[in-house]
Amino acid sequence: MTTLLATILDTPAGPLTVVLEPDGVVRVSGFGPFDETVQRLPAEARADGVRLLEPDELAAVGDGPADVVDAVRAYAAGHVGALDTVPVAQPGGPFQQELWRAMRAIPPGATVSYTALAAAAGRPAAVRAAGGACARNLVAPFVPCHRIVRTGGQIGGYYFGPGPKRALLAHEEAARGGTLESAAASA
């Protein structure tokens, strides 16, 4: 492993801490304090330390980190699909990885239920596993677990609380210029 890099960027849901590898692969991110965000990483991933940089300093490290900074800034400016292609890596079994891929396929400004997420990942009966994948997601909002809601459309849980989840959904809805839609039929 190598020393990880980190920065804190402004978003519509509040400050976003992003911890990434020098090549730009995001390993953990979130709307909590820096130290708490870093502690969510497995111990071996943070063994060589995490270096906190200002966003422009991080962008100067290389193309990968610059792309991450640019994507978060573009997302905050209303280009809500900007996070879709940022590379991420997080520990998890094959089905968790499939659930996280399915989350990334949900378009900004849309939501799906935990049931629809499980179906999109190929196991319609695995609703609890879908909820577990949301709870274990280390790279929100790059893997957009905020787009997962309860059946019936209720907001449901979010690791960082309902405020950031609502803020992200409202930001995406406003950027799409309409009402939040359910993507259940397409997921």
Side-chain angles (χ1 to χ4, degrees):
M1 212 65 203
T2 183
T3 300
L4 296 172
L5 305 173
T7 196
I8 300 171
L9 294 148
D10 292 327
T11 75
L16 175 68
T17 297
V18 181
V19 180
L20 60 153
E21 296 172 4
D23 63 358
V25 176
V26 176
R27 297 297 306 271
V28 68
S29 56
F31 298 100
F34 172 77
D35 291 338
E36 288 178 23
T37 302
V38 170
Q39 288 302 310
R40 292 185 71 208
L41 277 170
E44 64 274 7
R46 54 186 152 85
D48 290 332
V50 178
R51 187 170 155 222
L52 181 62
L53 302 169
E54 291 296 321
D56 290 337
E57 291 175 304
L58 178 64
V61 168
D63 290 342
D67 290 346
V68 174
V69 170
D70 290 347
V72 174
R73 286 177 171 164
Y75 178 87
H79 303 284
V80 293
L83 304 180
D84 293 349
T85 59
V86 170
V88 299
Q90 60 182 326
F95 187 54
Q96 282 183 324
Q97 298 295 333
E98 189 57 39
L99 286 160
W100 291 325
R101 277 190 290 280
M103 284 181 217
R104 289 194 102 180
I106 302 165
T111 60
V112 301
S113 68
Y114 294 97
T115 303
L117 176 62
R123 291 196 201 163
V127 177
R128 290 179 66 104
C134 289
R136 289 179 194 85
N137 178 21
L138 295 180
V139 289
F142 300 97
V143 171
C145 58
H146 63 275
R147 296 180 191 146
I148 313 304
V149 297
R150 293 180 179 158
T151 300
Q154 299 93 348
I155 196 82
Y158 192 55
Y159 184 87
F160 307 103
K165 183 171 185 169
R166 284 188 181 102
L168 291 167
L169 292 172
H171 174 65
E172 292 176 3
E173 177 184 342
R176 290 290 186 198
T179 304
L180 198 61
E181 64 183 61
S182 172
S186 64

